[in-house]
Structure formats: structure tokens, C-alpha cells
Amino acid sequence: MTFEELQTATLDWASARGILEHSTPQAQCLKGLEELGELAAGIARSDGSLIADALGDVLVVEIILAELCGLDLVACLAGAYDEIRIRKGRMSPNGIFIKEDSTFHLAEGAGHD
């Protein structure tokens, strides 16, 4: 199945169980935090099956949350990708992504006339 087909199937599942009718963005946001906690636990334990399950659960919650907010998750992803696709930067040795922008260039070049 494509992502879009899985998204539709997920929304059908959520609708059939009354989640779309009775849940709220706030409730789904909290559910998402719970699933992120499970993901963190899987990563901490290096448990690939727990990581995979938690990632799937996070996506389910995000699809439902987007729907409750009147958004399409694929469109949200497309918008985010459109912003990052031309972003330049680098990953620091401690795992922090440092965006390259005018401030970055000025800081890098400061005092090097």
C-alpha cells in the first residue's frame, strides 16, 4: 500500500471506532507523547521491534491528529520537505544540526577580513 492508502485506511479505522468523532487534538497530542515515550524506550534498549512498533503508532496518531486539525499529513510533510530540501548546514560531532544561514556565515567569517 502507498502512504496515502495507509493514511486513508487509518482514518477509516479511526472513524469506525469513534476516534474521529469523540477525540480531540489535545487527546491525540497526549497519545502522541505516550507513543514517543515508547519509541524512546525502544531506542534506549536497542529493541528494533519496539522501535518499529512505536514508529508505526506515532504515525497513526499523527494521521488522526492531522485529520482532527483539518490537515492532511502528506501535505504537512510536503510543506516541511519544501522548507528543508534546500537547507544547508552540517551535523556537529555531538549530533546537533547547525543550519547554514546568513548568521552562520557572519559568525564563521567574523574577524577574517
Side-chain angles (χ1 to χ4, degrees):
M1 294 175 88
T2 66
F3 189 90
E4 289 84 357
E5 290 168 335
L6 288 167
Q7 177 178 248
T8 298
T10 299
L11 292 172
D12 290 345
W13 172 87
S15 181
R17 283 150 187 81
I19 297 170
L20 295 180
E21 182 181 357
H22 300 292
S23 192
T24 64
Q26 294 84 355
Q28 288 304 302
C29 188
L30 289 174
K31 182 66 175 170
L33 290 173
E34 176 186 331
E35 300 300 350
L36 284 173
E38 291 180 18
L39 176 59
I43 291 169
R45 296 180 182 125
S46 297
D47 184 334
S49 63
L50 183 56
I51 292 168
D53 181 65
L55 282 170
D57 290 346
V58 166
L59 287 170
V60 166
V61 172
E62 296 305 311
I63 289 168
I64 294 168
L65 177 57
E67 180 72 14
L68 291 173
C69 292
L71 301 168
D72 177 276
L73 195 59
V74 174
C76 293
L77 176 58
Y81 178 74
D82 195 46
E83 285 185 26
I84 67 166
R85 69 184 172 79
I86 58 172
R87 184 174 292 160
K88 294 184 178 152
R90 60 183 170 80
M91 186 67 71
S92 70
N94 63 351
I96 306 284
F97 185 78
I98 301 168
K99 290 190 279 186
E100 183 178 312
D101 60 24
S102 58
T103 305
F104 180 79
H105 287 300
L106 290 174
E108 292 276 306
H112 298 280
D113 291 82

